[in-house]
Each structure stands twice: as C-alpha cells, then as structure tokens.
C-alpha cells in the first residue's frame, strides 16, 4: 500500500497520543539488477533503490522504554532502554528493530526513551529487501541528529541482520538502502565497500514481478550456499594459494582448475565468478546503450542461478520463460535471495502494458495466483523526510 508522510504522522498520533510532533524517516527497498549471492563472496552487485520504502516515525517519550508499533503487523512491543544492550531475538518482525537498537547501543550510541511507528510498503518475502528497509529506517530514526558515517550505518544494519536476526547475509541490501540515488543503479564493490553510480538508459523500464511465493527452503539454503562457497575457496586454494574469496578468481583461472573442485562447490563457484563478471559487463552495456546485451546478461544470470547456484523454483522459472518470449522484453531474471520472490525484467516502455497482461494471464492460468507488478524507478536512499 502506498504511504504518504501525513498519514504516518496521523497514525503515530492516534497510537501514541498527540504530544510532540514525530520526526519521519524513510529507507527504501531495493531490486538487484545483477550480481546475485556475490556480495558475501566480496564481488560486485548492481542494485537500485526503490520508491517503495519503510517509514519510521519517532518522538521522545517519558516511559523509560523503546516502544514500537508495527502498522503492518498490527502489534506493539516495548523494552526498557537500559535492557536493549542485552536484548535477545524472538524470531519475529521486532528483531529487525531491536537488532538495530542493540547494535547502536553496542557501538556506543546511547538511546533515550522513545516511541516508534514502523510502516512499510516493501512487500515481505519478495526479494526486494523489506528487512534492510526496516533496519535502515530504524537506524536513521534512532540516530536522529547524531552523525554516523553512511557506510557505518549500512554495516550496522548488516550486523543486526547477521548477529541478531541470524541470517549471514552480505552487505548489498543495507548498502543500497543507504546509498540509493534517483535515476541510477549502484555498482557496489563488496570488498572495498565503495560504489559508482551508473545511469540507466531512459528508454527502458525495470519491471519487478512478484510471484507471491516464498519457499521455506530460503534461509537454510542461504546458509548452505555461504558454506559451499567457502568449500570452493578451500579447493581453489590448492591451485591458487593467494585466493581469499571467490572474488579473487577470474573465469579463465577457474576454468583451468575447475575439474579439481568437487561438483557442487564447483557449480556454486561458477555462478559467483560469472555473475560478478556480469556486473561490470551490465554497467558497460548500460553506458553503451546496448539494450540487447543487457537482456542477454540478465538471461545468462538467470540460467546460472537456475542450474549452477540452484536457487530458483518453478514459479520463477515460469515467469522468466514467459517474459522473454514477449516482444519488447529484453531480458528477465530472478532477483534477491531466491526460492521465490520477484523476477526483474528489462522492458521497452511501449511493451509494458502487453507484458503485464500476458504474464498475468499465463501465471494465473498455471499457478492460480495473480502476480504483482512494480515499475521500479531508481529512487533515493534513506533520509529524514519530515
Ligand atoms: C539476500 C541477502 C543479500 C544478498 C542476496 C543475494 O538479499 O540479504 O546480502 O546475498 O540475498 O544476492
């Protein structure tokens, strides 16, 4: 549901009383264009921040607690401020907020009693990074006027995710939420933690299609993939002792020694190494305005996730196969962690209407589910908005 700042402030006042005027913060979700599961292998990723975002309204309070209401879940929790440093996860939405609060306390940022209202328009389980949007919006809100370097805010959000929520994810989602820019994709180097903005062709629409399925396998498979990549690195070190992560291996080097790597880690490594290379390739194609090449890279990336990384599923493969047959669609691929969520599609502007209606009819006919479509204009990163 699209949110407007005035509505959130109104909700905040209804919920917590009309005392002081809350401050309002926004942090976007993201859609990754290419470079999937490459971030924790210290390679490149290429996301854009979305208009769809999480909003956090915040005002000081006198009850000694951090009190948080989620509009989306319709539930509230509170914790005494002096207990935040020792807080434990409970396995629900509140972990994203509390994880960030705990990391701030542990980073030496004292928190004072306050009320927070969290409202997000980033669909959960969609691969569009709803969790990073909550984390980063919460971090900005709790920091208020206190300054922390933007990169440190992204890293703090990632720590909340890996050490509190318990998913050993890379830096992409929080980075994109902090550093998003209107009109541009962000080419992130996940080793040096630096980025370049890349403007995208104007005669191209980025359409995300939500399959509305999320197979449970997701978080355990994520852990497995992280471990398999480490196994691949260990096997590669037999031939190239200087290699520290899959980022250090070129495709040519890999092809010389791949026979020496056990079959499963070999396939995982092939995906990571090739998808990292596809990031600068996609950026170059975007700069050269080569839409056909951009589309080819999308499809190659999808095949790599489908067969080598094995993180796709029937619903997503169906959406990709159908999409790339529609005239005016340059390419399609799954985006995000995998096992459901969204595809991302490069579509000519005048083909968008047919794209939506054909894909909707086909997907409903096959799976009985009406997919959701999001027109993804690259948007700005997190900020205070009121
Ligand atoms: C999830 C993680 C990211 C990244 C993607 C896959 O979104 O949070 O760090 O690994 O999966 O590219």
């Amino acid at each position: 549901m699209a949110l407007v700042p005035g509505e959130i402030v109104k909700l905040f006042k209804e919920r917590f009383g009309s005392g002081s005027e809350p401050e309002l913060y926004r942090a976007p979700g993201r859609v990754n264009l290419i470079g999937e599961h490459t971030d924790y292998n210290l390679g490149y990723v290429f996301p854009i921040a979305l208009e769809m975002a999480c909003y956090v309204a915040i005002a000081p309070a006198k009850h000694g607690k951090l009190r948080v209401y989620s509009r989306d879940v319709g539930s509230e929790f509170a914790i005494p401020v002096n207990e935040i440093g020792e807080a434990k996860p409970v396995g629900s939405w509140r972990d994203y907020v509390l994880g960030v609060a705990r990391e701030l306390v542990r980073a030496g940022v004292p928190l004072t009693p306050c009320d927070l209202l969290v409202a997000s328009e980033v669909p959960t389980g969609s691969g569009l990074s709803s969790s990073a949007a909550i984390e980063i919006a919460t971090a900005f809100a709790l920091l208020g006027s206190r300054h922390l370097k933007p990169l440190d805010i992204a890293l703090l959000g990632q720590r909340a995710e890996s050490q509190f929520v318990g998913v050993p994810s890379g830096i992409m989602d929080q980075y994109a939420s902090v550093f998003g820019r209107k009109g541009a994709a962000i080419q992130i180097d996940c080793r040096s933690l630096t980025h370049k903005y890349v403007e995208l062709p104007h005669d191209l629409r980025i359409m995300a299609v939500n399959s509305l399925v999320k197979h449970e396998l997701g978080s355990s498979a994520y852990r497995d993939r992280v471990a398999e990549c480490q196994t691949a690195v260990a096997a590669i070190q037999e031939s190239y002792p200087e290699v520290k992560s899959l980022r250090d291996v070129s495709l040519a080097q890999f092809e010389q020694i791949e026979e020496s790597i056990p079959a499963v880690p070999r396939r995982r490594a092939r995906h990571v190494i090739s998808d990292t290379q596809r990031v600068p390739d996609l950026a170059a194609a975007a700069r050269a305005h080569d839409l056909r090449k951009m589309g080819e890279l999308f499809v190659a990336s999808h095949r790599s996730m489908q067969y080598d990384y094995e993180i796709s599923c029937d619903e997503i493969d169906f959406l990709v196969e159908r999409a790339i047959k529609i005239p005016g669609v340059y390419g399609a691929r799954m985006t995000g962690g995998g096992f459901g969520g969204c595809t991302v599609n490069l579509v000519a502007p005048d083909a968008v209407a047919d794209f939506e209606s054909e894909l909707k009819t086909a997907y409903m006919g096959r799976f009985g589910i009406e997919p959701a479509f999001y027109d993804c204009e690259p948007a700005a990163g997190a900020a205070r908005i009121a």
Side-chain angles (χ1 to χ4, degrees):
M1 195 223 293
L3 286 164
V4 285
E7 280 171 30
I8 299 164
V9 169
K10 185 164 160 270
L11 272 176
F12 182 94
K13 290 180 172 169
E14 281 165 13
R15 182 82 203 170
F16 296 120
S18 53
S20 48
E21 195 66 19
E23 292 178 357
L24 188 59
Y25 295 82
R26 166 190 179 277
R30 60 101 190 96
V31 63
N32 189 27
L33 299 187
I34 212 153
E36 217 67 78
H37 289 259
T38 48
D39 56 356
Y40 54 83
N41 289 295
L42 308 186
Y44 295 114
V45 292
F46 201 61
I48 60 175
L50 298 174
E51 286 294 346
M52 286 190 289
C54 177
Y55 296 84
V56 171
I58 184 168
K62 294 203 168 66
H63 45 49
K65 295 176 188 154
L66 172 71
R67 184 166 63 161
V68 187
Y69 175 70
S70 162
R71 178 213 60 158
D72 310 314
V73 184
S75 95
E76 182 179 298
F77 76 94
I79 177 169
V81 164
N82 57 13
E83 291 176 16
I84 292 173
E86 298 311 316
K88 299 273 181 293
V90 296
S92 78
W93 67 275
R94 64 177 71 176
D95 291 349
Y96 301 110
V97 177
L98 206 43
V100 166
R102 190 184 76 167
E103 288 307 318
L104 280 168
V105 170
R106 292 190 171 181
V109 178
L111 297 183
T112 48
C114 55
D115 290 324
L116 270 78
L117 183 135
V118 180
S120 183
E121 46 191 21
V122 187
T124 55
S126 60
L128 300 180
S129 203
S130 58
S131 52
I134 298 190
E135 288 155 2
I136 298 302
T138 302
F140 271 70
L142 291 175
L143 277 164
S145 57
R146 290 174 292 193
H147 184 74
L148 202 59
K149 280 199 228 120
L151 178 59
D152 289 334
I153 300 178
L155 287 165
L156 189 135
Q158 185 200 13
R159 284 204 301 282
E161 182 89 33
S162 59
Q163 293 174 21
F164 197 79
V165 179
V167 182
S169 61
I171 188 66
M172 167 167 66
D173 306 348
Q174 293 82 6
Y175 200 113
S177 188
V178 169
F179 288 99
R181 178 178 283 185
K182 208 169 167 43
I186 321 161
Q187 182 180 339
I188 307 169
D189 179 333
C190 299
R191 166 171 281 159
S192 63
L193 297 178
T194 53
H195 63 275
K196 295 190 252 204
Y197 293 109
V198 179
E199 228 184 281
L200 297 172
H202 293 297
D203 51 348
L204 186 65
R205 298 266 284 275
I206 298 166
M207 299 295 302
V209 182
N210 195 344
S211 68
L212 294 163
V213 299
K214 181 75 193 167
H215 297 289
E216 276 313 316
L217 210 55
S219 64
S220 66
Y222 195 94
R223 271 172 237 287
D224 294 346
R225 295 300 179 278
V226 173
E228 288 158 357
C229 290
Q230 284 160 357
T231 307
V233 168
I236 292 169
Q237 282 170 340
E238 305 273 320
S239 310
Y240 302 114
E242 67 284 8
V243 164
K244 301 252 173 339
S245 73
L246 292 177
R247 162 67 182 276
D248 298 322
V249 189
S250 69
L251 206 48
Q253 283 174 316
F254 171 76
E255 281 165 359
Q256 276 172 16
I257 56 138
E258 61 176 311
E259 295 304 322
S260 67
I261 310 171
V264 172
R266 183 197 311 161
R267 288 205 299 279
R268 306 304 187 239
R270 191 188 301 128
H271 165 73
V272 170
I273 295 167
S274 63
D275 226 34
T276 280
Q277 180 54 47
R278 279 187 279 269
V279 172
D281 291 352
L282 187 73
R287 287 197 189 93
H289 196 267
D290 190 342
L291 306 181
R292 203 177 52 85
K293 176 77 184 164
M294 290 177 77
E296 282 169 15
L297 288 163
F298 260 46
V299 176
S301 176
H302 186 73
R303 299 295 175 228
S304 179
M305 291 189 288
Q306 198 176 1
Y307 301 118
D308 280 341
Y309 224 58
E310 298 178 278
I311 50 170
S312 191
C313 61
D314 289 349
E315 294 86 346
I316 291 288
D317 290 340
F318 181 88
L319 285 173
V320 168
E321 288 331 318
R322 289 305 291 239
I324 58 180
K325 292 200 183 83
I326 299 170
V329 176
Y330 297 103
R333 60 182 290 280
M334 190 190 72
T335 186
F339 304 100
C342 285
T343 62
V344 55
N345 304 261
L346 300 177
V347 187
D350 59 7
V352 168
D354 286 347
F355 167 77
E356 289 195 12
S357 72
E358 284 186 33
L359 213 49
K360 178 173 151 183
T361 309
Y363 191 65
M364 284 184 74
R366 172 76 173 74
F367 294 102
I369 303 171
E370 183 173 344
F373 294 86
Y374 314 116
D375 195 339
C376 302
E377 283 273 328
R384 179 173 171 188
I385 56 165

